[in-house]
Amino acid sequence: MADDEQDPKEYRWETGYEKTWYAIKEDEDGLVEGLVAEFAQKAARKSVAPRKGPVRLGMMRHLLVAIDCSEAMNSPDLKPIRFLCTLKLLEKFVEEFFDQNPLSQLGLIAMKNKRAEKVTELSGNVRKHIKAVQSLSNLALTGEPSLQNTLELAGRILRPLPGHASRELLVLFASLTTCDPGDIIPTIQTLKTDGIRCSVIGLAAEVRICKKLCQDTGGEYGVVLDDVHYRSLLLEHTSPPPRARALDAGLVKMGFPHTAPPSTQSDPGGNADPLITVCMCHLEEGEGVGGEGHLCPQCRSKYCSLPAQCRTCGLTLASAPHLARSYHHLFPVDPYEELNNEGQAQYCFACIRSFTDLDKQIYRCTRCQEYYCWECEGVISCTLHVCPGCASRPHLYQRLPDTR
């Protein structure tokens, strides 16, 4: 009860009666098109709210996603049912996660019949995770989930990881109950001590123990309203969160593999069969025999995809584009200045679309002084991560700290 008293946020049913229809007003022509555009702009600005102050981020993330596969996922409130809607959104989440976090690793856990089962190992193989998500569509949804067993399994997987990497757990929870073998409070405290950040997305209603889990470990808790809101909550976890605790800081040894050219020394005529090599990524599955791959520069083990951690020597393997794609998290685009459209500019600098009366607000870069529409401002902040006006001016594009 003490945690509830400290939380000043009220529930919707506890607040006063709101006459939301009064916010809908027609313009001089009797249309509401301008109002709809204004609502869309406000929603877009809310989704790309900038971080406040200097925040240390966990760039190398290790995220486990626990999927509720219990009987509660059969509910049709999310079409066609909760489970199929979750799998569809997870495919998009996996692609977006590795696009935003190319140096990170992801793993999947299934919760059903009071047990937690590992679906995929922690890895950076996008195709492997998407294939695993698609294979879950034929899974029988039975029994109750066990939140405690899921937390203990996640702790065993994330605890041995190196100290410089962030450890995260995301639970997609549809049930209103959890069947646990013991007291879950010590388990939550253990995760907090180990610096494992736990977040929960509820598909039914707010559950007290899930809220306490997120509060104690520094995670986020949200309950979906519909499939659009579900997608928004899920994609919020693609951006690197602040560090859950003071992680180890220091240099990280990394290797940059290369693809070795085929050897022709043994047979100059090229009539011999190529050497048979085994991919370490699929060694347990019995796949990955033959073909080209990325060779570890330290032990020469072969891997079919990057990034990865060498199973032979433990070296972190990555490529130069992976490091470059992580750059925008460290130096994000400066927030644009929001202005009332009073004819300062005739068109958007990015899409060259002429500003109309529907563009109540326009946005200006504080560095290059160019103006943008709200659609382009959202794309630049969320996807492009580079200001077109600054990129066209080399003296502005050098985004290093000013030492003067």
Side-chain angles (χ1 to χ4, degrees):
M1 295 299 293
D3 293 338
D4 294 337
E5 295 175 357
Q6 294 176 2
D7 191 359
K9 183 179 179 182
E10 294 181 335
Y11 295 102
R12 291 295 296 272
W13 60 82
E14 296 177 333
T15 58
Y17 189 70
E18 299 178 4
K19 299 180 180 180
T20 54
W21 56 88
Y22 283 172
I24 302 177
K25 298 180 180 179
E26 300 177 350
D27 57 13
E28 298 177 355
D29 299 328
L31 303 176
V32 294
E33 185 178 0
L35 184 64
V36 172
E38 184 178 351
F39 286 164
Q41 293 184 29
K42 291 181 179 179
R45 291 293 296 172
K46 183 179 179 181
S47 63
V48 296
R51 295 190 299 265
K52 296 181 179 180
V55 179
R56 298 184 66 184
L57 303 178
M59 301 301 300
M60 299 182 66
R61 305 174 61 188
H62 292 86
L63 174 66
L64 289 176
V65 180
I67 310 168
D68 190 347
C69 300
S70 65
E71 203 172 321
M73 292 293 275
N74 279 316
S75 176
D77 52 359
L78 297 175
K79 302 302 179 184
I81 60 174
R82 290 176 179 174
F83 189 63
L84 295 181
C85 179
T86 298
L87 296 184
K88 182 180 179 181
L89 294 177
L90 265 181
E91 292 185 34
K92 174 65 177 177
F93 171 79
V94 171
E95 295 178 353
E96 188 69 19
F97 176 82
F98 285 107
D99 182 69
Q100 298 290 331
N101 307 272
L103 298 178
S104 301
Q105 297 187 14
L106 181 73
L108 301 176
I109 296 176
M111 309 164 56
K112 60 176 296 187
N113 287 332
K114 310 177 185 65
R115 294 179 295 179
E117 302 175 355
K118 186 162 46 177
V119 179
T120 60
E121 298 279 352
L122 279 172
S123 70
N125 194 329
V126 182
R127 290 174 295 179
K128 177 182 178 181
H129 294 304
I130 293 181
K131 184 178 179 181
V133 170
Q134 294 173 346
S135 65
L136 291 176
S137 59
N138 298 323
L139 187 67
L141 307 176
T142 57
E144 289 183 90
S146 175
L147 185 60
Q148 183 179 9
N149 288 335
T150 302
L151 298 181
E152 291 180 350
L153 176 60
R156 290 195 298 269
I157 297 174
L158 298 175
R159 195 171 295 116
L161 295 177
H164 61 264
S166 67
R167 308 163 187 174
E168 306 170 46
L169 171 66
L170 174 61
V171 182
L172 308 180
F173 201 69
S175 178
L176 295 177
T177 59
T178 171
C179 186
D180 299 328
D183 188 4
I184 195 175
I185 301 301
T187 305
I188 296 177
Q189 293 301 319
T190 302
L191 295 178
K192 180 180 179 181
T193 304
D194 295 333
I196 299 176
R197 183 178 188 268
C198 302
S199 300
V200 179
I201 297 180
L203 276 63
E206 183 176 290
V207 180
R208 174 72 176 82
I209 191 61
C210 294
K211 184 176 181 180
K212 177 175 176 56
L213 170 65
C214 298
Q215 287 177 343
D216 291 353
T217 60
E220 298 178 357
Y221 184 40
V223 179
V224 304
L225 302 176
D226 49 33
D227 55 346
V228 178
H229 186 227
Y230 190 5
R231 181 179 183 274
S232 176
L233 290 178
L234 197 58
L235 293 182
E236 285 180 2
H237 294 276
T238 58
S239 300
R243 293 191 174 190
R245 63 184 177 94
L247 300 180
D248 297 341
L251 299 178
V252 179
K253 187 177 181 180
M254 302 185 68
F256 297 90
H258 62 280
T259 302
S263 176
T264 58
Q265 296 179 358
S266 60
D267 186 8
N271 297 323
D273 295 333
L275 297 176
I276 297 178
T277 57
V278 179
C279 175
M280 298 297 292
C281 303
H282 304 88
L283 188 60
E284 297 177 356
E285 293 85 352
E287 302 175 358
V289 178
E292 297 182 353
H294 306 279
L295 301 181
C296 174
Q298 187 164 274
C299 65
R300 310 293 291 177
S301 299
K302 190 182 79 170
Y303 294 87
C304 63
S305 64
L306 298 177
Q309 187 169 8
C310 183
R311 298 188 178 185
T312 305
C313 63
L315 184 66
T316 301
L317 306 178
S319 63
H322 291 144
L323 297 178
R325 282 161 53 192
S326 301
Y327 179 81
H328 66 265
H329 290 305
L330 299 177
F331 301 96
V333 178
D334 295 336
Y336 287 172
E337 184 181 2
E338 183 176 358
L339 303 172
N340 293 326
N341 187 7
E342 299 176 351
Q344 300 96 323
Q346 301 299 321
Y347 58 88
C348 172
F349 182 81
C351 64
I352 318 299
R353 179 179 66 83
S354 299
F355 292 127
T356 63
D357 295 337
L358 299 179
D359 297 300
K360 304 295 184 181
Q361 306 289 331
I362 59 177
Y363 302 91
R364 182 178 63 186
C365 176
T366 56
R367 294 171 63 88
C368 64
Q369 302 298 317
E370 298 291 351
Y371 293 88
Y372 299 91
C373 61
W374 70 272
E375 294 99 332
C376 292
E377 190 273 341
V379 172
I380 293 170
S381 301
C382 299
T383 306
L384 191 59
H385 305 294
V386 174
C387 175
C390 297
S392 61
R393 299 168 173 84
H395 66 285
L396 294 177
Y397 188 58
Q398 185 70 17
R399 295 187 297 172
L400 295 177
D402 192 358
T403 57
R404 292 180 298 173

